[in-house]
Amino acid sequence: MSILVIGMVCYDVVNTCKRFPHEDEEMRCLSQREQQGGNAANSSYVLGLLSARCEFLGTVGKGLRTDFVLKRFDKVGVAHHHCVITDKRVLPNSSITLSLATGSRTTVHFRDFPELTFDDFKEIDLSAYKWIHFEGRESEADLDKMIHRVIQYNVDQAEDKRITISMEFEKCHRGLVPYLALPDVVMVGRLFNQFLGFQDADEAASGLRKSCKDSALIFCAWAEKGATASGPGGEVHHADAFTSGPVIDTLGAGDTFNAGVIYSLSRGRTWKEAVEFACRVAGIKCCSPGYDAVQSLANK
């Protein structure tokens, strides 16, 4: 049985520069690379690097960019056979500038593309999966139906056959707040937590408890300040950020953290072990370009 990750995939062009350019300045970058983008796609790719059995589900187009990102999935063993193919040829895409001076990344994104619908999702045989992860997006009506389909499926299953539901909250969209109450594993990014008024990861992990179900595990990442998790009963555990050298690429660090949480918990580790492992995976990612360095933690 595998992990199903649902959300968006896009095509990224990443330019690494000594510093961020001034307005109207022409600058030569130090390097350029292409890679998959999109929160769910990045988490899927990292799960593949960690040797998890994983499948990505989303909408894709036709053309060279789609071919490129699907070959990226193939390289790390991420399945994508249930993806919905649309007639649009221009896959969502991003132009990203990484500044070595600050470690920051600046993104310009273009998207004119359909979202995955409940009608697409209802064709999926849920019995093939042990874990389903949702990227919190603004297509709330379809998202609601998808999650409740899994919840209803679990009602009729023995405990060891039930699907773990996780969801990422990153986009600062008020309509996503009610969904905090649904997942078994809740992953809330810094921007979303600040949107809710929390000042740090510890405050967020404790404060979110009243919005989540009692049994939920809550994970709040806070970039260079590490992450805090909350277990059933409200106990919290903080993990420091991990670094193996200078920070050179923070693009997708949150997606990598989420993949680390899913991977660790799906292998039977405790929630405290999971937040520590996720910080380690994200830290290794940030100290090298792209994602491939995290493969050193495969099967760990």
Side-chain angles (χ1 to χ4, degrees):
M1 299 178 75
S2 65
I3 299 165
L4 180 65
V5 182
I6 300 173
M8 189 186 78
V9 62
C10 65
Y11 168 84
D12 285 356
V13 176
V14 184
N15 295 306
T16 300
C17 302
K18 287 184 178 180
R19 58 170 176 79
F20 189 77
H22 303 301
E23 185 176 358
D24 207 28
E25 177 185 9
E26 181 177 327
M27 174 185 287
R28 179 172 294 184
C29 64
L30 300 175
S31 66
Q32 184 181 84
R33 70 175 186 271
E34 303 168 287
Q35 62 186 35
Q36 85 294 326
N39 295 12
N42 290 337
S43 292
S44 297
Y45 188 81
V46 173
L47 284 165
L49 287 170
L50 293 172
S51 298
R53 187 177 176 189
C54 178
E55 177 184 343
F56 171 79
L57 176 62
T59 53
V60 297
K62 299 176 181 178
L64 294 177
R65 291 177 174 178
T66 292
D67 292 344
F68 172 81
V69 298
L70 294 184
K71 286 179 181 177
R72 292 270 294 177
F73 285 153
D74 291 338
K75 184 181 79 169
V76 296
V78 173
H80 49 78
H81 52 286
H82 287 119
C83 281
V84 177
I85 301 173
T86 75
D87 291 329
K88 286 187 175 282
R89 300 190 66 85
V90 181
L91 196 70
N93 57 91
S94 297
S95 177
I96 299 155
T97 301
L98 296 181
S99 167
L100 292 183
T102 63
S104 68
R105 80 273 191 186
T106 302
T107 303
V108 178
H109 180 68
F110 172 76
R111 179 177 179 83
D112 179 20
F113 215 71
E115 297 274 359
L116 190 77
T117 68
F118 176 70
D119 287 339
D120 302 323
F121 179 70
K122 71 181 182 182
E123 301 300 320
I124 301 296
D125 178 8
L126 297 182
S127 67
Y129 307 102
K130 64 178 179 179
W131 189 300
I132 298 181
H133 176 70
F134 294 91
E135 176 185 344
R137 300 191 59 77
E138 295 180 15
S139 52
E140 295 152 17
D142 286 297
L143 181 63
D144 185 81
K145 292 177 182 178
M146 291 181 202
I147 295 175
H148 277 94
R149 182 188 176 214
V150 184
I151 292 173
Q152 187 57 48
Y153 172 86
N154 282 341
V155 169
D156 300 322
Q157 303 300 314
E159 186 172 354
D160 63 339
K161 300 294 185 183
R162 292 173 189 165
I163 298 169
T164 299
I165 302 170
S166 63
M167 183 169 168
E168 171 204 22
F169 295 81
E170 183 201 54
K171 305 292 187 298
C172 298
H173 182 55
R174 182 63 64 180
L176 292 175
V177 174
Y179 293 92
L180 289 165
L182 299 180
D184 304 302
V185 181
V186 180
M187 306 173 194
V188 188
R190 179 179 60 176
L191 290 179
F192 194 89
N193 273 321
Q194 290 174 330
F195 173 68
L196 296 178
F198 299 119
Q199 302 301 312
D200 57 47
D202 290 357
E203 181 186 358
S206 297
L208 287 167
R209 176 54 59 189
K210 64 179 181 296
S211 300
C212 302
K213 59 185 187 179
D214 292 342
S215 60
L217 304 178
I218 303 169
F219 294 85
C220 299
W222 216 273
E224 71 279 1
K225 295 183 179 179
T228 300
S230 172
E235 182 184 1
V236 297
H237 177 75
H238 180 81
D240 291 334
F242 175 85
T243 181
S244 58
V247 173
I248 63 172
D249 181 6
T250 59
L251 179 65
D255 308 331
T256 303
F257 176 88
N258 292 342
V261 169
I262 295 169
Y263 176 80
S264 189
L265 291 175
S266 69
R267 290 170 63 88
R269 293 178 179 172
T270 69
W271 58 274
K272 292 180 182 179
E273 292 171 328
V275 70
E276 295 281 354
F277 180 78
C279 281
R280 184 174 182 84
V281 177
I284 289 175
K285 180 264 169 293
C286 290
C287 295
S288 60
Y291 299 90
D292 291 358
V294 306
Q295 196 164 25
S296 64
L297 295 176
N299 299 312
K300 297 292 181 67

